[in-house]
Amino acid sequence: MKIMILSVFLTGLMTCLSARAQNPSVEWDRHSLIIDGQRVCPVMGEIHYSRIPVNEWTDEIRKMKDGGVTIIATYVFWNHVEEQEGVFRWDGQRHLRHFIEICKEQQMPVVLRLGPFCHGEARNGGIPDWIFLKGCKTRDDNPMFLGFVERLYRQIFTQVQGLQWKDGGPVIAAQFDNEYRGRGEYLMALKRIALSIGFDLPFYTRTGWPELATPVPFGEMLPLYGDYADGFWERSLEETAGNYYKAFNFRNPSNSLEGGENMGAMDASLSQHSVRHSSPLMRSGGGYPYFTCELGGGMMTAYHRRPYLYPEDAYSMAVVKLGSGSNLLGYYMYHGGTNPDGQTCLNETQRTIATNYNDLPVKTYDFQAPLNEFGQKNPHYYMLRKLHLFMQNWGNVLAPMGASFPCAQDITKGDDSFLRWAYRSKDGKGFIFINNYERLQQLSAKRNVQLTVCGVELPKMDVPAGTICILPVNIDGIRYATAQLVAKREGKIYMEQIDGIPTTIAVGDKVLRNLKAKGIDVPVYKNIYLLTSRQAERLFLVEKDHQDVDDQTPIVNKMREASVWRTITKGVNKVAEEPSDEDFEQAAVYIIDLPEQERAELLLNIDYRGDVARLYADGKLIDDNFYHGRPFQYALWRLPNGCRRLELRILPLQKDMPIYFPREADLTPGEQVYQVTITSRE
């Protein structure tokens, strides 16, 4: 049975659907999820179905699965489906049921984040404008608001009915509201509504930040947490504003601070609640497991603050979270998207009724995620993937292991006084987690490091700057290794050679030193294969061949100079406001004529300098970009049939703008298009 359950998680928890009507049983305790008695460490990836065209859903879910994601998370934005009161839209890319059915076909469980408030940088946090005109308090357990919520939940249930986990469907859990700091009674009211309608799921969740004014009874909702490498919501224009540096140090979750928007101290209920009100799906033992739902897979750019994220940011935080005891890594976002068309713009701005803390782009929600707005694979898609393979293959061993923190918990930004490491262990087995990296800080190499875990002393080694790795102790016959476990298949163990650290593998009394990577075909010892980082990141991954792009390039002509440099105002929340539609009437205008060619899998790349760029097809805004040093891309396959001419409008950069730009950005005043090319997505 255990062999079957391992295979279940290798393909997304659901390979046995065809064999029986019911899915595997799901329980949880203070350590982890338990699937049919087997502990697992899932990987949850956020993708917003309504921000991606329906005809792309299958391919994008497959990419997430190939990247090692084992659970899909998605918001149901209320104003995407009921923008006009009483008129629900479940058509096209709003067709939730179809999305869930595709997840079932791809054997991917789904966590629905139901709202009514979602945030997700959506207009009013996803709550429709018309709600605010009713005179009722939102996100409150008053009868008027809950009446509207019940109607929403009933509509969502029509999309879910027959596709819940108990029915053999993929919907495994639901989240109530988001980032809520009020009374727990409101969250419980939402749960009672959902249960009365027919939602009957293995578990329910809430975001564990900020701390609630009054608690939710223990066991009713699992609190999930998060960390980010940077935050567009920061008011500061400094490069490393906020306390995000804490996300790069191993921390005991019972006293850690989460580095996200308005995230306060982690709820002590992780370890201190009694089990008096325990859920029937919770095993005895007390306390919640440590799970995340918003580990920053990237970061959006707001108008006033435009962080530039690096692949190591996401990978480092994931390794730190795992080493700190988390047994579910949930990434926000794992896949970027594009806001759908609505009766009005569906992005968060300072001018909207609510949730108006920042100005976000009108269309793009790229998020610099592992999979970008159009499904482009970023470097951290591959980097994270090897970690996800490790979790799939050794999650049952890792999950019950306690975390130990031999290093300082409270650090200052850029603290370079010690090697950051932690370990998890149980019954003489362990994993050592090393993180010699912090975003935008230059941590030095650490010399003559010697680590001892579970009575096993590893050889002295130098740990280069930027090293992020996991080392095994007494795992699968390996006494210790200075290489990282990646996967095991058919008795073969695959390991990654860590750059700059000589590879030593001790098996029994035999110590193999200075091993070199030989790839997937030649073992370095018996059943052990040593891979380069690139080989580890792409292990077992079958990718499409790169599409050949002919020599034709777009023809670009500048039709108009920017006529007036706009006055940058500050909005109600005291940060710079993004330009209005009227401002773009004064923008520089370029015409892009596209060659006649097949457009599937092809991207338009606009290498430019400016403040904000907007792209139009047939006079309609199709995408936008807040400049932050990277090209503006667009998926050519999304263009209307026969469209061969695009209009690009760019507002110029100005001197001393009240905006944080990353160091990669060229801040020369004015605007310029350097190059426009067509490339393959892969």
Side-chain angles (χ1 to χ4, degrees), residues 133-413:
L133 303 177
K134 297 290 183 180
C136 66
K137 185 178 180 181
T138 63
R139 304 180 71 190
D140 182 78
D141 57 357
N142 67 79
M144 180 182 289
F145 183 67
L146 291 184
F148 292 124
V149 172
E150 180 174 353
R151 186 174 67 182
L152 170 68
Y153 279 14
R154 286 189 182 280
Q155 279 285 323
I156 295 174
F157 188 71
T158 67
Q159 304 295 299
V160 171
Q161 193 167 13
L163 293 172
Q164 297 188 89
W165 191 258
K166 67 174 185 176
D167 306 315
V171 181
I172 195 172
Q175 175 185 304
F176 299 112
D177 210 85
N178 188 53
E179 300 170 341
Y180 180 70
R181 65 172 65 251
R183 298 175 60 83
E185 290 86 344
Y186 165 66
L187 295 179
M188 286 303 300
L190 297 180
K191 183 174 182 180
R192 284 194 296 272
I193 290 171
L195 293 177
S196 69
I197 291 169
F199 284 94
D200 183 7
L201 301 168
F203 60 99
Y204 303 88
T205 71
R206 67 173 179 89
T207 43
W209 73 94
E211 188 174 357
L212 293 173
T214 60
V216 165
F218 180 75
E220 296 286 353
M221 303 172 196
L222 294 181
L224 274 60
Y225 298 93
D227 256 324
Y228 289 94
D230 204 329
F232 66 77
W233 46 79
E234 289 293 331
R235 308 290 93 178
S236 172
L237 305 185
E238 298 300 316
E239 183 171 67
T240 53
N243 63 358
Y244 304 95
Y245 64 89
K246 295 184 179 182
F248 297 95
N249 189 45
F250 299 97
R251 298 168 293 165
N252 189 323
S254 66
N255 60 19
S256 71
L257 291 175
E258 299 301 280
E261 182 175 8
N262 299 321
M263 293 184 186
M266 182 178 288
D267 191 346
S269 64
L270 275 171
S271 59
Q272 295 176 4
H273 273 297
S274 73
V275 297
R276 191 159 46 95
H277 302 290
S278 62
S279 160
L281 296 172
M282 190 211 76
R283 288 191 171 186
S284 62
Y288 287 119
Y290 184 18
F291 291 167
T292 70
C293 61
E294 290 200 19
L295 185 61
M299 180 53 53
M300 268 304 290
T301 54
Y303 183 72
H304 76 281
R305 186 171 178 83
R306 311 179 188 187
Y308 186 115
L309 272 288
Y310 307 99
E312 294 79 8
D313 293 343
Y315 185 63
S316 172
M317 288 194 302
V319 169
V320 166
K321 267 288 180 280
L322 208 60
S324 297
S326 179
N327 283 331
L328 186 154
L329 297 183
Y331 296 99
Y332 189 100
M333 296 287 295
Y334 190 86
H335 196 307
T338 311
N339 287 327
D341 294 334
Q343 294 176 334
T344 187
C345 295
L346 292 171
N347 57 313
E348 174 185 343
T349 77
Q350 293 179 83
R351 298 185 179 102
T352 49
I353 300 171
T355 318
N356 52 4
Y357 202 56
N358 309 281
D359 284 307
L360 276 293
V362 174
K363 297 299 292 183
T364 184
Y365 196 69
D366 177 84
F367 218 87
Q368 304 175 67
L371 291 169
N372 273 144
E373 179 177 7
F374 308 113
Q376 313 97 304
K377 294 175 182 175
N378 272 328
H380 50 306
Y381 172 86
Y382 298 100
M383 194 177 288
L384 290 166
R385 184 177 178 274
K386 64 189 178 187
L387 181 63
H388 302 162
L389 290 175
F390 164 76
M391 293 170 67
Q392 290 175 5
N393 286 270
W394 285 279
N396 61 322
V397 178
L398 178 68
M401 288 182 171
S404 299
F405 305 91
C407 300
Q409 296 280 284
D410 295 321
I411 65 170
T412 57
K413 187 185 301 181

Side-chain angles (χ1 to χ4, degrees), residues 1-2 4-5 8 16 20 23-27 34-39 283:
M1 187 64 177
K2 289 186 177 182
M4 186 199 78
I5 297 302
V8 165
C16 56
R20 56 183 176 177
N23 279 333
S25 65
V26 178
E27 300 174 287
I34 303 164
I35 311 298
D36 267 5
Q38 184 75 10
R39 293 194 181 277
R283 288 191 171 186

Side-chain angles (χ1 to χ4, degrees), residues 379 382-383 385-386 532-539 541:
Y382 298 100
M383 194 177 288
R385 184 177 178 274
K386 64 189 178 187
T532 65
S533 293
R534 180 178 173 80
Q535 290 169 336
E537 290 169 355
R538 290 164 171 78
L539 185 63
L541 182 62

Side-chain angles (χ1 to χ4, degrees), residues 49-87:
Y49 72 97
S50 57
R51 282 174 161 158
I52 295 175
V54 62
N55 61 337
E56 298 177 22
W57 286 348
T58 298
D59 285 346
E60 300 314 303
I61 292 169
R62 283 174 180 162
K63 286 181 194 172
M64 294 178 71
K65 185 175 179 180
D66 288 344
V69 172
T70 52
I71 297 177
I72 294 288
T74 191
Y75 277 138
V76 182
F77 291 110
W78 191 353
N79 58 6
H80 286 199
V81 299
E82 195 190 5
E83 191 174 9
Q84 179 181 347
E85 182 179 0
V87 180

